[in-house]
Amino acid sequence: MEKYFLSDPELNDPVPMDFLSHKEKYEETVRKACVVYKKLKEMRKGTGSIDISRENIITSVIHSILKDGDPFSLNNVMMIPVIIGQATPRQQAMWLQRTINYEIIGTYAQTELGHGTFIRGLETTAHYDPTTQEFILNSPTLTSYKWWPGGLGQTTNYAIVVAQLYTQGVYRGIHLFMVQLRNEETHEPLPGIKIGEIGTKLGMNNVNNGFLGFENVHIPREHMLMKYSKVLEDGSYIKSTNEKLAYGGMTFVRVSILKVVSTLLAKACTIAIRYSAVRRQSEMKPGEPEPQILDYRTQQYKLFPYLAASFALKFTGKWLLNICTEVFSELEEGKLERLPELHALSCCLKAVCTTEAAQGAETCRLACGGHGYMMCSNLPSLYGLITAACTYEGENTVLLLQTARYLMKAWQQAVGGMAMTPTVAYLKQAVSGSNGTPCWEGSTACIVSAFQQVAARKVKHSADIMGQRIQEGVSPEDAWNMTSVELVQCAEAHGRAILVERFVAAVAELNVSVALKTVLAQLRDLYTIYTLLRNSGDFLMYTEMTPLDYCNLQNRMETLLSELRPNAVGIVDGFDFHDDIIASTLGSWDGQVYDRLFAAASKSPLNQDTVNESFHKYLKPMLKSGL
Amino acid sequence: MEKYFLSDPELNDPVPMDFLSHKEKYEETVRKACVVYKKLKEMRKGTGSIDISRENIITSVIHSILKDGDPFSLNNVMMIPVIIGQATPRQQAMWLQRTINYEIIGTYAQTELGHGTFIRGLETTAHYDPTTQEFILNSPTLTSYKWWPGGLGQTTNYAIVVAQLYTQGVYRGIHLFMVQLRNEETHEPLPGIKIGEIGTKLGMNNVNNGFLGFENVHIPREHMLMKYSKVLEDGSYIKSTNEKLAYGGMTFVRVSILKVVSTLLAKACTIAIRYSAVRRQSEMKPGEPEPQILDYRTQQYKLFPYLAASFALKFTGKWLLNICTEVFSELEEGKLERLPELHALSCCLKAVCTTEAAQGAETCRLACGGHGYMMCSNLPSLYGLITAACTYEGENTVLLLQTARYLMKAWQQAVGGMAMTPTVAYLKQAVSGSNGTPCWEGSTACIVSAFQQVAARKVKHSADIMGQRIQEGVSPEDAWNMTSVELVQCAEAHGRAILVERFVAAVAELNVSVALKTVLAQLRDLYTIYTLLRNSGDFLMYTEMTPLDYCNLQNRMETLLSELRPNAVGIVDGFDFHDDIIASTLGSWDGQVYDRLFAAASKSPLNQDTVNESFHKYLKPMLKSGL
């Protein structure tokens, strides 16, 4: 599939995109995106329909090609899934095929200038008028303008809009509406639609994020997505039997983020490890040639743990996606039992994994020294893509506090001796007594158990101090806020316990050669021990680990770094990223780092003339102006 | 001085720079830089000479105005100081006034494409030819091209070039040469000079970093900087009596970085704290209005410790600059005793402070959610400026290992009962016995002492395991490399101990009102306790701090967050950053966040047309192409 797309010469950049202006980048991106999506249309010819999991693969290839963002992507990632999940069959007949065929192109407009994670705070309104059988959309304030949706600026002509519904004078909560934004023939914004793009960003500059305001925009009654809640012709409102069914989409996106960031982190590791095998620096021993910087223990310590982390994220992401698929199919049968656990898992793992991947990518960039600072290394863009995920689809701290709320409830269940859902069952150990700590013998099983022990004890600690504050007369809400630093930390500890446990389980389950399993076990041990050492205070406080055990683990970690050294380049080669996908002067397969750096600089438009005209216009007059 | 520069209407951006192409940014930067430097020339009129400390203030104002880098800056920051420090009086007469007057404009070309921190590895050569009394400069390989010098691309016409000197067929080590790069009238590169810019970067895109290669470039003998070492007409080489004298410049730049990053961090804190007082989100209590996000304990926990850190860096930077000035004036008298300590301090504090400031700026950005991702928040640029300092002027890990080498020597001195230099005198405590740990009572003095205890024990631990490895037959160089992860950690612990001790001393020494001192003491306590808690494993391992002490400190930290909350906006207002200097939609003095975001987006060139031409050229044909 990569070859199918990448073989097209129209996708080459005569001048690297980084040198273009913001407007030129947009125009060049639309040109390339149209090339890509025409090819996608070709692929879909004959099938007529759409297979979501195959679409995910295609989407990921397209995202790799349109590196710094794709203004069409929300059509695939949000518009189509939301129509499938939230629209009635009649509505699907109206829109689904048109979006799949790219006859229209849509986005998803939820976040507003003044309102992000807290959806109930959104200000956009939809008032139903039974006389015309229309909804009237309005943006009553500046802060109610939609802000951020991808492709919204100049690209899309439709959007799913999230708004506060009022019918028969009664407030009905948040609902979704299909809104046409632009004329399909002329692309002019429709009356009452105020639209534009929001400007330049740290990364993802080709996404064409936009803003959107409504001034008395009328849309037909049939344009509210009515699979669950409904508004009848007279304005009667029929409430969904279960509101939670509407949130499946966001959970799915959060779960998908794990795979996305694990791949981006693997790319960053590939670049840094390949570069570190080419770059030579300093003298390790007097008179000897400069060694590859990958031979420095400090460089191994920077890179290999994050290489291991990319596997931890990948395995955990795969496991979580399986759970998600199971829970969603149970939902179709009306079973809702596992939804809270899935929600708690998706919140906490999205937060922990994006934070870890962002740190990893940035560590990889810094490990490449000054050259990692250059855009042509692709490391700044990879960081830009990952760090964006720390704040989108639920800001990480807010998500961790949602998981913490689940953990506090689970703790009460554990204390009450009730049945526990699988991923928090370990809390029971901490309840069963202070001597629940396993004897420390440093095995993988011991370490997994210690991570759970830490999480459980932190949950207990948070519950205790919150309870104490409430007992002292503090309101539960204030006690929650006062304890929130600890609550975030216990959700993080829970996330780490799951990542470690899933990595161990995944390696145990894999049916691969002994040689491969050995390397995977080294990566697993490195990840678990490194993560433990980075949080050593927790383990010294809450487990039986002693300072001596700590030193032994430090030694084991260093041995693992040595053991992984000879295979490091092989492991990243094994990711099999195409050079055009990795898109890095430092990280290409052939290791021709310096030639590529020079070639990239040669393409700078500034280097096409020996003297820039600013010399004659500004510089020479200043130099000659005398003091 | 700010007003003098900022009042000039020619410094306004009709279109924000972020929207321009790389080439347009350069041209616009040169235009603005010429406006600024013409004003600088005006200021210098009458004085005729140059006062370095006043120049530093001017430079910092100019850097604030030319936000994303200044292509002229290396003339002030490196060229002038190097001429003063390394050139003979005769040479100074040739070049100094011309550079001060901006009749010529210079840069400093040391780093090469393949060689950074390890100066001895540089490949550029300068061979002396006694027949013509010239040096002949060459770049024998691609990796020997100079790469990175600021302004080198299209701006400067002179450079101080670092090259390997050969005379009389003998290698003489690294020396500095004044090289004319471009014709002063036409700006065309001189024969044999290959020059250009290196391309786009994560940040500092207006610095015009360049590359430079030499092909048999002849320069007069008088163009080698000869204050210390000399080459006579016949090629005889006179070695400097002390090579270390040549390194003063780099130490000074490293020391200056502390002030630079503390100011940048203070800017980031100002933006995030002001925004957090405007932004409202979620419901703390049912039915109540959305609170300012600064009321969330988690938000305070993100921002206030870095606000405190900006003071820690500022105080420590000032102290270090004083030491640096003292040591340099001792050098003039031939006293070299304090040079190694200064070198160790400047290496370790540059590394620890840039890392801390970078984490802080990025934490501030993430604390502003999605809006922090926008360039108009100015937070991405501030991070770009700070994180660059982690790899320039000595890569941080390399610098920490240099300090570690000093600490290992100091440890041997402590063990041997020798006299210790002041900043490592605390190591003696750790030698004097295992019961050197002070009883834990949680006072500020106890915490300072605990930081030193941790550093000392880590130094001892590293020395012990390295010694053990050597005893087992490992070569000293391999033992060093095998121990380098611990060695880096002990240099970091040393740096933290100094920062904490300096913050405490600075607050004690300040003669200010009780009210102000109270707030500074809160910031000091927050910084010390937060830093301790973030490294709790070290304190549990190496001091008498118990888990209960840890919980008490956590409580104290949370009390400090509450106490600082009412003053947080006041503290950042006290930094007194001009709105044009802070340059942030989120961080302006009036708090009009949403209007400013909207106004910034309105300036996007993409928003000047309702329909972008790419719709007709690419998008419509794709949408209409059918499946």
Side-chain angles (χ1 to χ4, degrees):
Chain A
M1 213 177 284
E2 272 175 7
K3 263 189 204 154
Y4 171 71
F5 285 105
L6 290 171
S7 60
D8 196 319
E10 288 194 69
L11 293 177
N12 290 342
D13 294 323
V15 175
M17 297 274 279
D18 290 324
F19 291 112
L20 305 184
S21 74
H22 188 60
K23 190 177 178 193
E24 289 165 345
K25 278 180 196 167
Y26 172 69
E27 290 162 355
E28 182 63 6
T29 300
V30 171
R31 184 189 70 73
K32 281 160 73 173
C34 286
V35 172
V36 169
Y37 281 88
K38 260 189 204 156
K39 295 177 88 80
L40 178 69
K41 281 189 169 191
E42 288 292 321
M43 281 183 87
R44 283 185 185 154
K45 256 184 199 166
T47 68
S49 80
I50 187 162
D51 168 353
I52 288 284
S53 65
R54 187 160 158 277
E55 287 297 309
N56 281 337
I57 297 170
I58 298 173
T59 302
S60 108
V61 173
I62 291 176
H63 285 183
S64 295
I65 294 169
L66 302 171
K67 285 164 200 85
D68 212 23
D70 167 8
F72 299 179
S73 75
L74 260 62
N75 192 67
N76 266 4
V77 175
M78 290 299 293
M79 186 74 153
I80 294 173
V82 169
I83 292 174
I84 292 171
Q86 311 279 329
T88 63
R90 197 183 127 86
Q91 292 177 319
Q92 295 199 16
M94 283 197 285
W95 304 312
L96 187 56
Q97 204 58 48
R98 296 198 77 204
T99 56
I100 291 174
N101 293 2
Y102 278 92
E103 293 167 25
I104 59 175
I105 181 163
T107 185
Y108 181 81
Q110 177 176 302
T111 299
E112 296 172 356
L113 187 52
H115 306 274
T117 306
F118 183 63
I119 302 174
R120 276 183 292 156
L122 296 176
E123 294 181 85
T124 305
T125 56
H127 287 270
Y128 182 67
D129 179 356
T131 60
T132 59
Q133 299 198 14
E134 288 175 331
F135 294 103
I136 301 149
L137 298 182
N138 272 294
S139 307
T141 59
L142 182 64
T143 49
S144 73
Y145 267 62
K146 297 296 176 189
W147 194 270
W148 278 114
L152 177 61
Q154 279 71 30
T155 314
T156 59
N157 49 14
Y158 281 78
I160 306 276
V161 173
V162 184
Q164 305 283 6
L165 171 64
Y166 295 81
T167 73
Q168 301 175 323
V170 180
Y171 170 58
R172 312 289 189 178
I174 287 291
H175 290 78
L176 306 186
F177 302 86
M178 172 69 81
V179 182
Q180 183 175 354
L181 305 176
R182 292 175 178 270
N183 180 296
E184 288 186 30
E185 295 303 317
T186 66
H187 214 54
E188 289 291 343
L190 297 186
I193 300 274
K194 295 171 214 164
I195 201 165
E197 68 107 18
I198 62 171
T200 56
K201 291 148 290 165
L202 187 157
M204 303 184 78
N205 274 301
N206 301 339
V207 173
N208 194 225
N209 300 90
F211 65 79
L212 172 62
F214 301 100
E215 191 179 336
N216 291 319
V217 173
H218 292 243
I219 59 169
R221 186 183 63 86
E222 292 80 9
H223 280 213
M224 181 176 117
L225 301 193
M226 298 213 206
K227 185 168 174 185
Y228 298 110
S229 303
K230 292 176 178 43
V231 172
L232 304 186
E233 293 182 3
D234 65 349
S236 312
Y237 177 73
I238 301 172
K239 199 172 161 37
S240 163
T241 49
N242 194 312
E243 286 183 359
K244 284 180 181 161
L245 294 174
Y247 293 106
M250 279 183 71
T251 303
F252 183 78
V253 173
R254 258 173 225 150
V255 169
S256 311
I257 288 173
L258 267 66
K259 194 192 160 197
V260 171
V261 297
S262 84
T263 303
L264 293 170
L265 177 58
K267 284 183 190 173
C269 291
T270 303
I271 295 167
I273 287 173
R274 285 180 173 170
Y275 175 68
S276 301
V278 172
R279 179 74 169 186
R280 291 172 178 276
Q281 191 76 13
S282 296
E283 243 176 18
M284 211 175 299
K285 294 182 184 178
E288 288 195 0
E290 298 186 71
Q292 292 162 289
I293 58 173
L294 199 55
D295 286 331
Y296 288 104
R297 180 59 54 84
T298 48
Q299 188 78 351
Q300 298 164 4
Y301 179 69
K302 288 177 191 174
L303 302 179
F304 296 171
Y306 286 110
L307 176 62
S310 76
F311 285 89
L313 270 52
K314 191 186 188 74
F315 287 132
T316 307
K318 206 173 166 187
W319 166 80
L320 188 59
L321 189 60
N322 284 342
I323 294 184
C324 189
T325 313
E326 285 171 26
V327 173
F328 282 11
S329 63
E330 289 172 12
L331 284 186
E332 297 289 321
E333 302 160 24
K335 291 197 230 162
L336 305 171
E337 292 79 17
R338 292 170 72 192
L339 203 56
E341 184 181 33
L342 173 63
H343 177 70
L345 276 176
S346 72
C347 287
C348 132
L349 288 173
K350 182 272 194 183
V352 172
C353 293
T354 54
T355 300
E356 196 159 306
Q359 283 171 352
E362 201 56 351
T363 303
C364 288
R365 181 182 70 72
L366 288 161
C368 295
H371 294 336
Y373 195 71
M374 300 202 63
M375 293 303 287
C376 65
S377 74
N378 202 21
L379 289 166
S381 299
L382 290 172
Y383 178 67
L385 292 169
I386 298 174
T387 191
C390 294
T391 47
Y392 70 52
E393 296 299 330
E395 191 274 331
N396 279 355
T397 305
V398 174
L399 293 184
L400 290 167
L401 285 170
Q402 294 200 11
T403 300
R405 212 170 273 283
Y406 179 79
L407 291 171
M408 288 300 110
K409 278 186 203 154
W411 177 250
Q412 296 311 328
Q413 291 169 348
V415 170
M418 292 159 73
M420 307 288 288
T421 50
T423 56
V424 289
Y426 68 82
L427 292 176
K428 284 199 164 180
Q429 297 160 20
V431 174
S432 68
S434 58
N435 56 356
T437 323
C439 170
W440 191 273
E441 32 79 9
S443 67
T444 304
C446 163
I447 289 173
V448 170
S449 166
F451 271 95
Q452 294 174 343
Q453 179 80 7
V454 163
R457 292 288 293 275
K458 278 181 167 274
V459 168
K460 179 181 181 327
H461 176 68
S462 297
D464 287 350
I465 53 175
M466 197 157 55
Q468 200 179 318
R469 282 169 171 151
I470 291 169
Q471 267 202 331
E472 288 165 2
V474 178
S475 74
E477 294 85 4
D478 287 333
W480 178 268
N481 189 31
M482 288 166 76
T483 317
S484 55
V485 171
E486 284 91 347
L487 287 165
V488 164
Q489 288 172 355
C490 72
E492 287 171 338
H494 176 64
R496 283 194 287 268
I498 288 170
L499 278 161
V500 163
E501 197 249 332
R502 288 328 307 166
F503 199 165
V504 171
V507 173
E509 286 160 14
L510 276 177
N511 189 11
V512 294
S513 71
V514 174
L516 178 52
K517 199 138 191 169
T518 305
V519 175
L520 286 167
Q522 288 166 348
L523 289 166
R524 171 201 69 199
D525 290 346
L526 179 62
Y527 181 74
T528 54
I529 295 172
Y530 176 85
T531 308
L532 187 158
L533 293 175
R534 288 244 298 187
N535 298 280
S536 62
D538 290 345
F539 290 81
L540 290 165
M541 278 189 53
Y542 292 129
T543 75
E544 295 204 339
M545 187 182 83
T546 64
L548 183 63
D549 296 324
Y550 174 93
C551 294
N552 288 336
L553 286 175
Q554 176 95 20
N555 280 339
R556 268 183 63 196
M557 186 193 71
E558 292 179 6
T559 305
L560 286 164
L561 295 176
S562 293
E563 287 170 354
L564 281 163
R565 166 66 184 90
N567 288 318
V569 173
I571 294 167
V572 301
D573 284 355
F575 292 139
D576 198 24
F577 291 119
H578 191 292
D579 272 355
D580 290 346
I581 297 290
I582 209 97
S584 169
T585 48
L586 308 185
S588 290
W589 189 83
D590 61 10
Q592 297 299 314
V593 165
Y594 300 113
D595 297 274
R596 285 177 193 269
L597 278 167
F598 215 88
S602 305
K603 289 185 183 164
S604 169
L606 272 171
N607 289 336
Q608 306 319 310
D609 307 305
T610 52
V611 178
N612 181 271
E613 61 173 13
S614 64
F615 172 74
H616 300 290
K617 280 169 79 175
Y618 312 118
L619 192 54
K620 191 173 180 182
M622 191 278 286
L623 294 171
K624 299 287 179 190
S625 69
L627 198 67
Chain B
M1 213 175 284
E2 273 176 7
K3 263 189 204 154
Y4 171 70
F5 285 106
L6 290 171
S7 60
D8 195 319
E10 287 193 71
L11 292 177
N12 290 343
D13 294 324
V15 174
M17 297 274 279
D18 290 323
F19 291 112
L20 306 184
S21 74
H22 187 60
K23 190 177 177 193
E24 288 164 346
K25 277 180 195 167
Y26 172 69
E27 290 162 355
E28 181 63 7
T29 299
V30 171
R31 184 188 69 75
K32 282 160 72 172
C34 286
V35 172
V36 169
Y37 282 88
K38 260 190 204 154
K39 295 177 89 78
L40 177 69
K41 282 188 168 191
E42 287 292 321
M43 283 183 86
R44 283 184 185 156
K45 256 183 200 165
T47 69
S49 79
I50 188 162
D51 167 354
I52 287 284
S53 65
R54 186 160 159 278
E55 287 297 309
N56 281 336
I57 298 170
I58 299 173
T59 303
S60 109
V61 173
I62 291 176
H63 285 183
S64 295
I65 294 169
L66 303 171
K67 286 164 200 84
D68 213 22
D70 167 8
F72 299 179
S73 75
L74 260 63
N75 192 69
N76 266 4
V77 176
M78 290 298 294
M79 187 74 152
I80 294 174
V82 169
I83 292 175
I84 293 172
Q86 311 280 328
T88 63
R90 197 183 127 84
Q91 291 177 320
Q92 295 199 17
M94 282 197 285
W95 305 311
L96 188 56
Q97 204 58 50
R98 295 198 78 204
T99 56
I100 290 175
N101 294 1
Y102 279 93
E103 292 167 26
I104 60 174
I105 181 164
T107 185
Y108 181 81
Q110 177 176 302
T111 299
E112 295 172 356
L113 186 54
H115 306 275
T117 305
F118 183 63
I119 302 173
R120 278 182 292 158
L122 295 176
E123 295 180 86
T124 304
T125 56
H127 286 271
Y128 182 67
D129 179 356
T131 60
T132 60
Q133 300 197 14
E134 288 175 331
F135 295 103
I136 301 149
L137 298 181
N138 272 294
S139 306
T141 60
L142 181 65
T143 49
S144 73
Y145 268 63
K146 297 296 177 189
W147 194 270
W148 278 114
L152 176 60
Q154 278 72 29
T155 314
T156 58
N157 50 14
Y158 280 79
I160 306 276
V161 172
V162 183
Q164 305 283 5
L165 171 65
Y166 294 81
T167 72
Q168 301 175 323
V170 180
Y171 170 58
R172 311 290 188 177
I174 287 290
H175 291 78
L176 307 187
F177 302 85
M178 172 69 82
V179 183
Q180 182 175 355
L181 305 176
R182 292 175 178 271
N183 180 297
E184 287 186 30
E185 296 302 316
T186 66
H187 213 55
E188 289 290 344
L190 297 186
I193 300 274
K194 295 172 214 164
I195 201 165
E197 68 107 17
I198 63 171
T200 56
K201 291 148 290 164
L202 188 157
M204 303 185 77
N205 274 301
N206 301 338
V207 174
N208 193 226
N209 301 89
F211 64 79
L212 172 62
F214 301 99
E215 192 179 334
N216 291 320
V217 172
H218 291 243
I219 59 169
R221 186 183 65 86
E222 292 80 10
H223 280 214
M224 183 175 116
L225 301 193
M226 297 213 206
K227 184 167 175 187
Y228 299 109
S229 302
K230 292 175 178 42
V231 172
L232 305 184
E233 293 182 4
D234 67 348
S236 313
Y237 177 73
I238 301 172
K239 200 171 159 37
S240 163
T241 49
N242 194 314
E243 286 183 358
K244 284 181 181 161
L245 294 174
Y247 292 106
M250 279 183 72
T251 302
F252 182 78
V253 173
R254 258 173 225 150
V255 169
S256 311
I257 287 173
L258 267 66
K259 193 191 161 198
V260 171
V261 296
S262 85
T263 304
L264 294 170
L265 177 58
K267 285 183 190 173
C269 291
T270 303
I271 296 168
I273 287 173
R274 285 179 174 169
Y275 175 67
S276 300
V278 172
R279 180 73 170 186
R280 291 171 177 275
Q281 191 75 14
S282 296
E283 243 176 19
M284 211 173 302
K285 295 182 183 178
E288 289 193 2
E290 298 186 69
Q292 292 163 288
I293 59 174
L294 198 54
D295 286 331
Y296 288 104
R297 180 59 55 84
T298 48
Q299 190 77 353
Q300 297 164 4
Y301 179 69
K302 287 177 192 175
L303 301 180
F304 296 170
Y306 286 110
L307 176 62
S310 76
F311 285 88
L313 269 54
K314 191 186 188 75
F315 288 131
T316 307
K318 206 172 167 187
W319 167 80
L320 188 58
L321 190 60
N322 284 341
I323 294 184
C324 190
T325 313
E326 285 169 26
V327 173
F328 282 11
S329 62
E330 288 171 14
L331 285 187
E332 297 290 319
E333 303 161 23
K335 292 197 230 163
L336 305 170
E337 293 79 17
R338 292 170 72 192
L339 202 56
E341 184 181 32
L342 172 63
H343 177 70
L345 276 176
S346 71
C347 288
C348 131
L349 288 173
K350 183 271 195 183
V352 172
C353 294
T354 54
T355 300
E356 196 158 305
Q359 284 171 352
E362 201 57 352
T363 303
C364 288
R365 180 182 70 72
L366 288 162
C368 295
H371 294 336
Y373 195 72
M374 300 201 63
M375 293 303 287
C376 65
S377 75
N378 202 22
L379 289 165
S381 300
L382 289 172
Y383 178 67
L385 291 169
I386 299 173
T387 190
C390 293
T391 46
Y392 69 52
E393 296 299 331
E395 192 274 330
N396 278 355
T397 305
V398 174
L399 293 184
L400 289 168
L401 285 170
Q402 295 199 12
T403 300
R405 212 171 273 283
Y406 179 78
L407 291 171
M408 289 300 110
K409 278 185 203 155
W411 177 251
Q412 296 311 327
Q413 291 170 348
V415 170
M418 291 159 72
M420 307 288 289
T421 50
T423 57
V424 290
Y426 68 83
L427 291 176
K428 285 198 163 180
Q429 297 159 20
V431 174
S432 68
S434 57
N435 56 357
T437 324
C439 170
W440 190 272
E441 31 80 8
S443 67
T444 304
C446 164
I447 290 174
V448 171
S449 166
F451 271 94
Q452 294 175 343
Q453 179 79 7
V454 163
R457 293 288 292 275
K458 277 181 167 275
V459 168
K460 178 182 182 327
H461 176 70
S462 297
D464 286 350
I465 53 175
M466 197 157 56
Q468 200 179 318
R469 281 170 172 149
I470 292 169
Q471 269 203 330
E472 287 165 3
V474 178
S475 74
E477 294 84 4
D478 287 333
W480 178 267
N481 190 31
M482 288 165 77
T483 317
S484 55
V485 171
E486 284 91 347
L487 287 165
V488 165
Q489 288 171 355
C490 71
E492 286 171 338
H494 176 62
R496 283 194 288 269
I498 288 169
L499 279 161
V500 162
E501 197 250 331
R502 288 328 306 167
F503 200 165
V504 171
V507 173
E509 286 159 14
L510 275 177
N511 188 12
V512 294
S513 71
V514 175
L516 179 52
K517 200 138 190 169
T518 305
V519 174
L520 286 168
Q522 288 166 348
L523 289 165
R524 171 201 69 200
D525 290 346
L526 179 61
Y527 181 74
T528 54
I529 296 172
Y530 175 86
T531 307
L532 187 158
L533 295 175
R534 288 242 299 188
N535 297 280
S536 62
D538 290 345
F539 290 81
L540 290 165
M541 278 189 52
Y542 292 128
T543 75
E544 295 204 340
M545 186 183 84
T546 64
L548 182 64
D549 296 324
Y550 175 93
C551 293
N552 288 337
L553 287 175
Q554 176 95 19
N555 281 340
R556 268 182 65 195
M557 185 194 71
E558 293 180 5
T559 305
L560 286 164
L561 295 176
S562 293
E563 287 170 355
L564 282 164
R565 166 66 183 91
N567 287 318
V569 172
I571 295 167
V572 300
D573 284 355
F575 291 139
D576 198 24
F577 291 120
H578 191 292
D579 272 356
D580 289 347
I581 296 290
I582 208 97
S584 168
T585 49
L586 307 185
S588 290
W589 189 83
D590 63 10
Q592 298 298 315
V593 165
Y594 299 113
D595 297 274
R596 284 175 194 271
L597 277 167
F598 215 89
S602 304
K603 289 185 183 164
S604 169
L606 271 170
N607 289 335
Q608 306 317 311
D609 308 304
T610 52
V611 178
N612 181 271
E613 62 173 13
S614 64
F615 172 73
H616 299 290
K617 280 169 79 175
Y618 311 119
L619 193 54
K620 191 172 180 182
M622 191 278 285
L623 293 171
K624 299 288 180 190
S625 70
L627 199 66

